[in-house]
Amino acid sequence: MAKPEKQYSGFKNFLRTPTPTLIGLYIVMIIIFTIADKNFLTVQNFRGIFNNFAVFGVLASGIMVVMLAGGFDLSIGSISGLVGIVSAVLMMDKFGVPTPLIFVIAIVIGCSVGLINGLIITKIGINPIITTLGTLAIIRGVCYFWANQNPRIYNVFIQGFGRKFIADIVPYTTIYIIVFFIILALILKFTRFGRNLFTIGGNETLARLAGIPVDRIKIITYVISGFFCSIAGLLLISQLGSGRPEYGTGAELEVLTIVVLGGVAVGGGKGNFFGVFIALLIIGSIANGMVMLDVPIYLRQVVKGVLLVLVISIDALRNRRNLQLY
Amino acid sequence: GCKTTTTTTAAAETTAAAETTAAAETTAAAAETTAAPTETTAAGGYPAYEALREAAKANKEYPGAPAKDFSLAFTNIMGGIPFCESVWKNVQDQWKLAGGDPNKLYYADNQYDATIGLKNADIMLAKKPSVLINFQFDSKVNSIIGVKFGAANIPIIAVDVPTPGAPFMGVNNFKVAYMAGTEAIARVEAMGGIDKIDKIILMQMPSGGEVTMLRSEGFYQAFVDKYGADVIDPKTVRADGGAGEAEQANKAMTDVLAKNPDAKTVVLTSINEQTMSGVIAAVQTAGRWDPEKFIVITQGCDATGQQQLRDGLTDASIAYFPEKYGEYLIPGSVALMQGQPVPAFMYVENQVITKDNIDQFYPKS
Amino acid sequence: MTDNNGIVLKMENITKIFPGVIALEDVSIELYKGEVLGILGENGAGKSTLIKILAGNYIKDSGSIYVDGQKFEIKSPSEAMASGIRVIYQELNTLNNLSVAENIFIGEQLVKGPFKIVDWKAMTKKAGEILGSLNVALDPNSVIGDLSISEKQIVEIAKAISKDAKILVMDEPTAALSEEETQSLFKIIATLKSRGVSIIYISHRLKEIFQITDRVVVLRDGKKVESIKTKDTNANELVTLMVGRDIKEMYPKREVPIGNTVMEVKNLTADGFKDISFKLKKGEILGIFGLLGSGRTSLVKALFGANKVKSGEILINGKKVDIKSPKMARDEKIGLVPLDRKVEGLALHLGVKENITLANIEDLGKGFLIKKQLENKKAQMWIEEMGIKTPTMDQEVNSLSGGNQQKVVLAKWLESGSKIIILNEPTRGIDVGAKIEIYKLMQNLCEKGSAVIMISSELPEILSIADRILVMSKGKMTAEYSRKEASEENLLQSACI
Amino acid sequence: MPEIKASSVEPGKKAKISNTGILFIVLVVLFALFSYVGRPFFFSTLNLVPMLNNLSFIGIIAAVLTMVMVSGDIDFSIGGNIGLTACLVALLLSKGLPGWLVVIIALCGGAIMGAFNGFLATVIGVNSIIATIGTMFIWRGIGYTLSNGESMLAMNPVIDYIGRGFLFKVIPFPIVIFIVVFVITYVIMNLSKWGRRIYAIGTNPMASYLSGINVKKVKFVGFLLCGITASLGGLILTSLSAVGMPQHGQGLELVIISGIVLGGTALGGGKGQILGTLAGILILSVLYNFLTIMNVYYFYIQIVQGSVLVLVVATYEIRQSRALKRV
Ligand SMILES: Nc1ncnc2c1ncn2[C@@H]1O[C@H](COP(=O)(O)OP(=O)(O)OP(=O)(O)O)[C@@H](O)[C@H]1O
Ligand SMILES: Nc1ncnc2c1ncn2[C@@H]1O[C@H](COP(=O)(O)OP(=O)(O)OP(=O)(O)O)[C@@H](O)[C@H]1O
Ligand SMILES: [Mg+2]
Ligand SMILES: [Mg+2]
């Protein structure tokens, strides 16, 4: 066999992803914020940053799986809101549901809604953005059935679930995110299911022709997303100490921003968890950095937007060579 | 104090004039009336209204079912929030007591959104109610609503946020915030004076518009009046707590705490109880929660606020008594329906609620 | 069951109707164990439809399918695959973001251990072996997106033979392959055959049909016209069967008077090629020959403004031009019939009409608006002139057969009034009838004063149609032959320098 | 040689009754139903005219955004644009600038915002979803900064006329703008050469580029127009409310996109009809209006609107797959 002309390595392929740009940018951000305020580069601050993006990180895990397979899920914020309010209500004295059962119910709710999304998308064949735009509204509406309840969280376990630290340094939530990301990354790399996601996202027709059970896998991705919404919902009520029907509102846009920034292709078939993690750090640090820099409240949105546009523009320019002609 | 009188007939005229000047003036008035009486309207001058108020306060059927042949529209500032739900519930109850037909009580939810507020006002106008109770977050947007209803000769009662040319019911945001500030100052003094305080953190809601901003700026003003701006300004931190919900406030507080690692004694206020619940959770998570060193004063004292007080998380809350709003709004509306004058300002009696007196105002069920 | 005379597959009375088209009508075929069955037919004859039904990709309207004598309702591709049917589709089916190895094992990644962990090492190794057996130098780790169309085709073949199949279907597998690669494939086919695999082989290249098939089924307009042993027939007979009439000449060449130079290229350099110079004259068909990756596509894209020129110049009618975009190329009356018509040539979900007028929207009316009658008239004219088979001019191009799609692309450039037409492998995947039509069209153009550049890998075609042939190798021009001087030997020799 | 028929059917439409047709039937049915159930309030000029007024600024943006979406892009920054425009208008008026000049400046501002989006999406080559999410923050943030978070009265004869004036003393001016914009976009998309390019690009940008269409230019102009229209929408909203405030337009992007999608526009580009968009936003608006008249709580309205979105689009899909099954 002749020697191939082009040799490939994983590292070369890594260099083509937006991740290096993101890492570079994050380093610049760290330098600027650290110069601006000595309190930026501290354990205390990073604990906070990590806890602050915990919910987004968990939701990102799910939406990423969905997006890799070419899907989309705008209902994540609503699903986590629903899980949160229902779990919080069930924890009230008048119901007194035991903690393990709360987890079970939360997960069942999240996964069921995910399943419904998946069924509508695959069996009826509605575009996922539209489906979940619809369910986003529907589920949020349902959350308000409990608007008059006013559950506060006294359950010590649930309280600790999203708030505690290991050795007063590492937030539990960070462990969750890292564990989720690693498990998912392994699943993506080392299972047929994971590889099939890339195939489906890359070219659905091809996947069908290759005999991959496309519909079933797609449904599973929405269930997975629903599962992570459950965790996120529990994290929300844990971190906020109460349940409210509006929790998680607008999360979809934030999470979408994060995963796309992290290099997940909107059409599917492309993305890695490392990039998403860096994107989480970047988005998580922008708000924090602006507090550190004492940017006036009204200007913060501008700075956030400018940073976002900057990051993606740099990445686009860096990949100029791969840029399409049109 | 300022006691402008407005009658139904005058209402139409003033609203017509509102287009040009009234709008700007009334917002200014909102700030001016800081000095307005703490107690509600003085008796006399509004016999019809006063008589109806008696029945309302007693929670009894109004004599002669005066609302029987009328219709009433109510637009809520943000449905789903405990505060607003309480207002709405009391309006419904009182409407029934006044003999009103529940089918003629029109409801719409303004969703804290001026665009929706306008849309709802138009829909309400199409239903030609006898009176509109307008609860919408931006006083300037209210001026155009006032003009439209004025043109249709439908009187308005504004709730919490002024509607130019219309009688006002509710709280004076600036005043209440100032009260909260005064309440905080008392605790600051008890701790040994302002020098002992590291930071004064205002969890704000920029997207709620200027009236909402008064809820923290009034608080700030009380501190400035007491200690002077040069002492207060360096201690003051303004944070964007998002849309009046716990989530964003929680994140913002986490960042503020990290920025100020040495702040141990802290004065906290926020625009509503939900926001504060997120703020407190952030302090707890950061491991910096110390009820002795955190002076937490909130505003509203809705169900969430009551629970926070009972749990010892907050030190005091300025009660707005949303569950009593209907006791003013319905007598006011009915008086207007009857062509009787109502006071220009129907302030609720704000009350400082602490752990000590909470059971007196909100008996445990 | 083997008591049916070694018949592995039987498709009986298959009918399939698309809106406005009867793609298959009552077609029956049989496939024997260890046989290579060729399916021949003009574009749109229904070949791909037949095998898509076999593959579970389309559901037949009526008829029955028997595998090993058992009646088999194929409802999905996975069912077909489970019963040992594997297909190389006419359309490329590779995933650009993934590696070669992964593409080969799509849906059937090699796994190990009780947890079915994907075994990357084994996949890379096995992929290397398969590619080796095809005699190609491709790194299994390379990303498909970086490969050329022919390399992708090889990956497709590797994919199909990666797992043992009972029935292997190949729909024009060699359309994008070089001669050498084609021969490697044939060796593989022979091996598979000796192992008892049955193969259905679809191609428009009669030479290949004669080289490897045992039997040929000819389809015409969705009907089976003949099933015949390969050794009992000849090219003329097959062509006549396919077209339904006698074909006198495969490569009709007319002498057209050659005029002035219309395009002159001087020392052109860009990504993919270096220092190319040539002249193109009015009335001339200039062929460009070269092996895979020799830089032909890069060159024509640069001429067309779709690739950035680094140095050198282009003169049109003696005037220096700076073509920075396809739009400018079009305005210089240059048209390009691209290599991959579905990606680069057609808006697949628009109608035939819209595609025909795509490059000349400006001329659809005087001002801002489109004049509908004018557009209909134009579309009608080209559909008739080019013989495009379509139920209506509003039919989505997507549903046309490959040859008809190619005609639409050509019609697009003729409609825009191109005087210099560049065709990149214009007859790839096109049947004899349509090929001849395209050759004729090219010469009609020349007669009307146009000039044509034609890239082709098919030696007989380029030798008989081109007036002059440039040969490229490794991005450089290595030879130029007139029609008389050129021969298979010297072309290949110059291409391998 | 089969007979070639020229049918009058537009590209992308194959069924006998188009989806847009169905949508209009749904609209008429709903309208009749609501007029009956919501009597006497729903079917009255007092209700319907203000409804259309309040719809006007959403409608014109939806029409132009449909063009952008058919070409395969999206613009999330429209709401931010509205907020910024509203603040700009109020600020300039407070500085005593004449109304006509303020209108011109506001529209130029919209053009700049649109051009910037277009620049990011075409010249830099950034995915338009994320680019415009970024600029959405920027525009709104600038609005907040300009106004210092305060709402400002914006009254001036010219500005008043845009949202509250009447043409020929009877036709509300926003409705005039609404109709004009829809007619123009309809002509562009269905009858013009430009529209053909938009559909071609949405269907296959590469093939369009290689057919000599200036893809970047067409896309850029789409964003530009979208920016201008959004600021025109901002002007109308400012006039309707007599107030310029940075919150104006918050969350409108999802409302508008829902309407467009309900109207049958595909998110990947290449498919969509201006009339469908018209029907889509009318349906959402009529639903809201009716349900509010019926005193329905907002969260129920949300549930209904979400369900309608899913149901209607499900109908499209089922119709299409039926058409395929017949294949
Ligand atoms: N999905 C489809 N929808 C509608 N018509 C179709 C579809 N697929 C194929 N057809 C039509 O069916 C007929 C047969 O097409 P098919 O692709 O089977 O031809 P083919 O023999 O493979 O041609 P080629 O040699 O060009 O590949 C053609 O007229 C084609 O237009
Ligand atoms: N933009 C580019 N940058 C760098 N190298 C390129 C570029 N485009 C092409 N090449 C390389 O230049 C060589 C010539 O490619 P080209 O596609 O022109 O060959 P070709 O002979 O036309 O191929 P085909 O037979 O498929 O038509 C290839 O090795 C290719 O990888
Ligand atoms: Mg305390
Ligand atoms: Mg075919």
Side-chain angles (χ1 to χ4, degrees), chain C residues 10-14 60 62-66 71-73:
Chain C
K10 198 161 157 186
M11 296 177 81
E12 243 175 31
N13 308 336
I14 306 288
K60 60 185 173 358
S62 66
S64 30
I65 299 172
Y66 301 87
K71 189 160 179 171
F72 185 30
E73 284 297 331

Side-chain angles (χ1 to χ4, degrees), chain B residues 187 191 266 289-296 312-316:
Chain B
R187 285 170 173 73
M191 269 172 82
V266 175
W289 178 246
D290 180 350
E292 301 305 312
K293 294 199 172 143
F294 274 73
I295 298 173
V296 187
L313 296 171
T314 54
D315 294 298

Side-chain angles (χ1 to χ4, degrees), chain D residues 197-264:
Chain D
R197 293 190 186 102
I198 291 174
Y199 277 105
I201 289 171
T203 312
N204 186 345
M206 183 56 134
S208 304
Y209 170 73
L210 290 175
S211 297
I213 293 176
N214 192 337
V215 177
K216 286 185 177 178
K217 184 165 130 194
V218 174
K219 288 193 165 200
F220 183 88
V221 170
F223 281 107
L224 182 73
L225 292 178
C226 200
I228 295 173
T229 319
S231 64
L232 178 58
L235 274 165
I236 298 176
L237 180 56
T238 306
S239 172
L240 283 173
S241 59
V243 169
M245 60 201 291
Q247 293 91 346
H248 269 344
Q250 187 116 40
L252 276 188
E253 51 282 341
L254 283 190
V255 175
I256 292 175
I257 291 170
S258 298
I260 295 174
V261 160
L262 190 62

Side-chain angles (χ1 to χ4, degrees), chain A residues 111-124:
Chain A
C111 293
S112 317
V113 180
L115 180 69
I116 294 172
N117 276 337
L119 286 172
I120 297 175
I121 289 163
T122 54
K123 296 303 170 194
I124 306 181

